[in-house]
Amino acid sequence: MASGLHQSDFKNPVVRWIDARLPVFTMMEKEYGTFPTPRNFNYLWNFGALAMVTLLIMIATGIFLAMNYTPHVNHAFDSVERIMRDVNYGWLLRYVHANGASMFFIVVYVHIWRGLYYGSYKAPRELLWMLGVVIFLLMMATAFMGYVLPWGQMSFWGATVITNLFSAIPLVGDSIVTWLWGGFSVDNPTLNRFFSLHYLLPFVIVGVVFLHVAALHITGSNNPLGIDPKGPQDTVPFHPYYTVKDSVGLVAYFVVFAVLVFFFPNLLGHPDNYIPANPLVTPPHIVPEWYFLPYYAILRAVPNKLGGVVLMFSSILILFVLPWLDTSPVRSMRFRPIARIALLLWTVAFFVLMWCGSQPPEGIAVVLARIGTAYYFAYFLVILPLLGRLERTLPLPESISRPVLRGGGPLPAGAAVKPMEKA
Amino acid sequence: MAETLATHPGAPLGAEAAHGAEPEHGGGKRRDFLKLVTGAFAVVGTGAIVWPFISSMNPSRDVLALSTTEVDLSPIQVGQAVTVVWRGKPVFVRHRTQQDIEAAQQVPVSELRDPQTDAQRVIKPEWLVMIGICTHLGCVPLGQKPTDPHGDYGGWFCPCHGSHYDTSGRIRKGPAPKNLVVPPYTFTSDTQIRIG
């Protein structure tokens, strides 16, 4: 600590001068250059980087949209139409932002599913996982409030229905809803505060993402085998191996994103939201955006107001305790023949709930929603805890590099030595 | 990577990394080419992405649609002045008296800080049309009303920092560097002009 300067090895004198005083270049080199990363990632490991890029796209387009948006009940709808018709490339900014929300949820759902399949939530990554759930909750809040801003019919009635969820709280529910609204109905004060928070929360997400990544770089990444790297032979430096792999995924992702924006920009939206908000008329069939449909189905599956609301919030909150519900020491579902099927069924249940959420709450949709809800929770509360005790897992490979270096074929018989390795 | 593995079964992977960096068979050149092409595409792509963002901050079409203003001159009596709004800015339209016109025309151009003859600043001598924004720091000069101060030269006086303009709107005294700007305008009829 004599000189107080960081010992920097960079050749470029300007970089070295800065790095000696503020070692950001050393940090970047350590965390994104030489960072040892399991060598066996598949493309599902792209989705963290894709989510990061999408967050930046949303913030950039959002800032420029805000330059032309007016958060007032009398002007909001018209200002959005002005963005679409008059502002240079306003249509592009808005379609990228609106479809970016959908793409963000697709990416994050895949990212979460990858965590579920490969056991990325298990020790020592519990906190990393919980920070991810916090990001997910913030994303949902941000997306919901953003959808209110155009002040169309779906905006207005979505805001009304979702804020009314809080009226289910016993005793103080109505007071809380009045407080959320800043009045006695969804009105200008509501729109103003939603705009304020919709601008704020993405930056909160950036902060939590930073913590998420910081925690990731302490434990290191999980991998498709779910076993820990045993040494340098099991890892490759992040750059160039995964910077390039992420770039390949990013190009493919941008193609899908661009097709959605340029050819089907309203595919995932609702036509009703191109009708200005009318507090006196509810649209005949009101549904949330597609990414909220499974939770909406869970809400409606219960014939009790408070019960439905509690179950809906529980469906997300249960993810916080997942690391302790799944007691199996084996991370990757590749080696868990029964849990793998259970998770695939859970995935089916998720999509069934998504479909149920899009249907009017009657007939088969209600029955399916109840079955789907039951299985959704049973997977976490019954199946995983039981399988942790009962399931006979497949033998784990000795190391990440071993099967690869022997030609990538089936595991050699000798690999079965430590089936219950602390995964 | 899989391909390399297939051609060198059992070879340690470290060898493969070294292979990529080796310039054998011109491999180094191929790598350089790939890097250049990738870099070039990234630069073009970034430019294409950044452009709509920058462009969106330029005046939008509804703003551009307001970029002309029509003024009916018939009610403006000799000696009167009106202020109209063009692109959000005040435009002074003055029906000059014969006295104003003569005063403006008799000034020797060599005396002026921003030399311009009166004829260069008007289409018809009796109508002076100019943007009413001081060329110093953007205040609106006084002098439209008869009761306003008109400065030492009988035209306009900017209260912010004391610039004096004459009956042709030319800077005569004070800090402003330029004459008041004459906007593009045309006479659509004898008593009607379109500014912009």
Side-chain angles (χ1 to χ4, degrees):
Chain A
M1 288 300 284
S3 73
L5 284 182
H6 172 73
Q7 195 63 42
S8 181
D9 300 327
F10 283 90
K11 295 269 192 298
N12 183 315
V14 177
V15 171
R16 191 171 60 235
W17 187 91
I18 295 172
D19 198 52
R21 286 153 181 81
L22 182 69
V24 284
F25 294 98
T26 299
M27 191 198 86
M28 285 303 289
E29 179 65 20
K30 177 169 171 279
E31 304 299 340
Y32 286 101
T34 56
F35 190 69
T37 315
R39 71 188 317 153
N40 58 334
F41 279 1
N42 56 35
Y43 274 102
L44 285 171
W45 263 263
N46 273 175
F47 283 80
L50 296 185
M52 181 89 90
V53 169
T54 312
L55 177 60
L56 296 178
I57 291 173
M58 294 303 280
I59 289 177
T61 50
I63 286 172
F64 280 77
L65 286 172
M67 292 179 188
N68 287 297
Y69 171 75
T70 312
H72 187 282
V73 289
N74 292 346
H75 305 291
F77 188 88
D78 290 344
S79 73
V80 171
E81 283 307 300
R82 185 180 156 266
I83 288 170
M84 293 302 290
R85 292 153 195 252
D86 288 338
V87 175
N88 301 329
Y89 296 102
W91 58 272
L92 181 61
L93 294 175
R94 177 163 172 267
Y95 277 154
V96 168
H97 198 73
N99 288 291
S102 285
M103 294 305 288
F104 205 176
F105 275 94
I106 291 173
V107 164
V108 164
Y109 280 142
V110 174
H111 190 64
I112 293 172
W113 188 87
R114 189 220 50 202
L116 292 174
Y117 189 85
Y118 295 107
S120 301
Y121 49 83
K122 293 187 187 183
R125 298 186 183 84
E126 306 97 318
L127 189 58
L128 172 61
W129 169 264
M130 292 163 82
L131 286 166
V133 180
V134 171
I135 295 170
F136 182 46
L137 284 169
L138 287 169
M139 262 181 73
M140 293 170 81
T142 310
F144 158 65
M145 288 191 274
Y147 193 60
V148 175
L149 301 184
W151 211 243
Q153 274 290 66
M154 280 296 176
S155 298
F156 183 89
W157 292 102
T160 301
V161 168
I162 300 296
T163 48
N164 264 315
L165 291 178
F166 294 89
S167 70
I169 301 170
L171 301 176
V172 291
D174 285 334
S175 311
I176 287 180
V177 173
T178 305
W179 175 76
L180 285 174
W181 287 340
F184 302 100
S185 63
V186 174
D187 207 337
N188 200 48
T190 326
L191 179 60
N192 269 251
R193 63 190 61 184
F194 276 21
F195 179 56
S196 173
L197 293 172
H198 183 71
Y199 208 119
L200 168 71
L201 288 184
F203 296 96
V204 178
I205 293 177
V206 169
V208 185
V209 166
F210 180 82
L211 298 177
H212 189 67
V213 173
L216 172 71
H217 281 225
I218 296 296
T219 61
S221 294
N222 189 24
N223 64 77
L225 294 177
I227 59 176
D228 292 325
K230 303 264 186 314
Q233 75 279 7
D234 287 346
T235 63
V236 287
F238 190 84
H239 180 75
Y241 290 94
Y242 289 122
T243 45
V244 166
K245 188 156 184 154
D246 283 346
S247 302
V248 173
L250 198 60
V251 170
Y253 173 64
F254 280 158
V255 170
V256 177
F257 201 147
V259 166
L260 196 58
V261 166
F262 290 107
F263 295 98
F264 309 100
N266 289 306
L267 178 71
L268 299 170
H270 296 293
D272 274 357
N273 220 28
Y274 283 105
I275 303 169
N278 181 354
L280 305 180
V281 181
T282 307
H285 178 45
I286 175 161
V287 281
E289 290 289 81
W290 69 266
Y291 37 80
F292 291 141
L293 289 174
Y295 315 106
Y296 192 58
I298 291 174
L299 171 76
R300 298 190 308 184
V302 187
N304 173 289
K305 185 171 175 179
L306 180 60
V309 173
V310 167
L311 218 56
M312 186 188 74
F313 282 110
S314 306
S315 67
I316 309 287
L317 298 179
I318 200 165
L319 295 174
F320 278 114
V321 290
L322 173 60
W324 295 275
L325 291 174
D326 183 357
T327 51
S328 171
V330 175
R331 291 196 192 107
S332 176
M333 294 282 181
R334 279 193 191 176
F335 307 105
R336 302 186 62 189
I338 303 172
R340 179 170 55 201
I341 292 165
L343 177 62
L344 292 178
L345 283 176
W346 179 88
T347 313
V348 171
F350 188 83
F351 283 111
V352 166
L353 285 170
M354 191 179 277
W355 177 82
C356 293
S358 72
Q359 299 302 307
E362 59 202 20
I364 187 75
V366 177
V367 178
L368 281 174
R370 286 182 184 159
I371 297 170
T373 304
Y375 186 79
Y376 183 103
F377 284 98
Y379 174 75
F380 292 116
L381 294 172
V382 181
I383 296 175
L384 280 182
L386 278 182
L387 286 183
R389 289 162 159 240
L390 303 177
E391 187 178 33
R392 188 180 172 83
T393 57
L394 301 177
L396 291 174
E398 281 172 66
S399 75
I400 292 172
S401 59
R402 188 131 191 166
V404 179
L405 295 183
R406 287 189 185 166
L411 298 176
V417 282
K418 285 187 290 176
M420 294 304 275
E421 166 192 352
K422 175 81 179 85
Chain B
M1 192 153 110
E3 193 187 323
T4 318
L5 275 176
T7 49
H8 305 285
L13 282 180
E16 178 232 343
H19 173 80
E22 243 174 78
E24 58 169 314
H25 315 305
K29 278 182 185 165
R30 194 173 70 157
R31 173 64 55 93
D32 289 346
F33 174 76
L34 285 172
K35 275 187 178 169
L36 278 173
V37 171
T38 310
F41 266 88
V43 167
V44 171
T46 307
I49 288 167
V50 167
W51 174 247
F53 285 87
I54 295 172
S55 177
S56 77
M57 291 176 73
N58 263 323
S60 59
R61 275 177 264 177
D62 60 321
V63 172
L64 292 177
L66 299 175
S67 61
T68 60
T69 298
E70 307 238 326
V71 186
D72 180 11
L73 300 176
S74 54
I76 307 171
Q77 302 300 312
V78 176
Q80 265 191 336
V82 298
T83 305
V84 298
V85 179
W86 173 65
R87 290 184 174 175
K89 293 185 275 201
V91 171
F92 294 166
V93 180
R94 181 171 231 182
H95 196 166
R96 297 195 293 185
T97 61
Q98 201 54 38
Q99 212 181 343
D100 288 338
I101 298 169
E102 278 165 21
Q105 285 172 343
Q106 280 161 10
V107 180
V109 173
S110 57
E111 269 183 28
L112 298 171
R113 182 178 302 167
D114 180 13
Q116 259 187 326
T117 64
D118 187 59
Q120 285 174 303
R121 295 179 53 78
V122 291
I123 295 175
K124 293 182 180 177
E126 60 270 34
W127 295 106
L128 178 64
V129 179
M130 57 192 187
I131 295 171
I133 290 180
C134 181
T135 57
H136 181 221
L137 291 173
C139 297
V140 178
L142 300 170
Q144 286 292 84
K145 295 177 192 162
T147 51
D148 279 350
H150 292 270
D152 295 353
Y153 298 87
W156 289 264
F157 171 72
C158 183
C160 289
H161 304 95
S163 290
H164 299 251
Y165 297 91
D166 66 14
T167 54
S168 189
R170 293 173 296 197
I171 180 65
R172 301 299 291 272
K173 186 178 161 191
K178 295 280 183 186
N179 302 331
L180 292 178
V181 175
V182 177
Y185 67 95
T186 49
F187 278 84
T188 50
S189 73
D190 278 353
T191 59
Q192 177 104 359
I193 57 168
R194 183 168 61 223
I195 306 169

